[in-house]
Amino acid sequence: MERRQLLKTSGAALTAGLVGMAGCSGGSDDTGGADTPQSTDSQSDSSGSSSSPVDGTTVQMVTEGGEYYFDPIGLAVDPGTTVTFENESGSHSSLSYQDGVGQASTTRIPEGAESWESQIFTESGATFEHTFETSGTYDYFCGPHKSLGMVGRIVVGEPGGPAEGSMPPDGDVPESQTIVDSGSVAYSDF
């Protein structure tokens, strides 16, 4: 019985890894935005060479069965907060909806806000951090799984900007005011 469970678990992990890697072969740049560095972003592998600040909040990037998602899917933070995107399982990245970033063809972050683009992480525990300075509503996506609806929303301070009042083109997220009212919205609750 243990061997059967091990084979089942290994097969599921291999399948998820292959599906995630298949998404990596598209037009996404795997450099983590190295040609456009931003002083508010940092990345680390699973060795933990970069740690989350005490005032930060973590968003998990998850592959579970046939689902690919950010958890929480909706998050409210104050301006100046650093959010850590942590790869829990699968192959994921975090990119802002800023026309020209990754596969984004529309801008869904506040005017004057810094965009971000992480590399694609394949190791569990790998992280990427971005500090949100400008108030408003930010929509973002996973490069390999954008077409599968892996999107999220962060509201910094008060809702506003081009993402307000509509859904991202690749999936659904909670309404901004719902996020603000609850502080965060878990994927399982959405």
Side-chain angles (χ1 to χ4, degrees):
M1 186 69 159
E2 289 179 28
R3 183 173 182 266
R4 187 177 309 156
Q5 184 60 34
L6 176 64
L7 290 173
K8 181 178 176 183
T9 303
S10 297
L14 179 59
T15 301
L18 290 174
V19 168
M21 292 305 289
C24 297
S25 64
S28 178
D29 178 18
D30 194 17
T31 63
D35 57 340
T36 56
Q38 297 176 10
S39 61
T40 58
D41 294 345
S42 66
Q43 301 185 76
S44 75
D45 58 21
S46 60
S47 66
S49 59
S50 176
S51 61
S52 303
V54 175
D55 64 342
T57 304
T58 300
V59 173
Q60 297 290 321
M61 300 181 287
V62 182
T63 297
E64 186 174 50
E67 294 188 88
Y68 307 90
Y69 59 90
F70 293 102
D71 197 21
I73 191 169
L75 180 66
V77 299
D78 291 324
T81 299
T82 298
V83 173
T84 301
F85 297 88
E86 181 176 357
N87 191 40
E88 181 179 293
S89 54
S91 298
H92 301 290
S93 62
S94 174
L95 298 89
S96 58
Y97 271 102
Q98 170 80 27
D99 190 15
V101 172
Q103 311 105 351
S105 59
T106 184
T107 298
R108 297 185 60 81
I109 66 174
E111 186 175 329
E114 287 193 47
S115 63
W116 71 92
E117 179 178 6
S118 78
Q119 69 184 44
I120 296 171
F121 294 110
T122 58
E123 291 186 41
S124 178
T127 63
F128 171 79
E129 297 176 340
H130 180 77
T131 301
F132 292 84
E133 301 290 350
T134 304
S135 290
T137 302
Y138 294 73
D139 287 344
Y140 61 95
F141 62 94
C142 170
H145 304 112
K146 176 174 161 262
S147 65
L148 298 174
M150 188 170 174
V151 297
R153 176 171 280 178
I154 295 175
V155 180
V156 179
E158 296 293 322
E164 195 50 41
S166 64
M167 290 293 124
D170 304 294
D172 291 330
V173 293
E175 296 291 336
S176 297
Q177 195 57 53
T178 300
I179 296 169
V180 170
D181 292 345
S182 60
S184 71
V185 177
Y187 178 79
S188 61
D189 294 337
F190 177 62

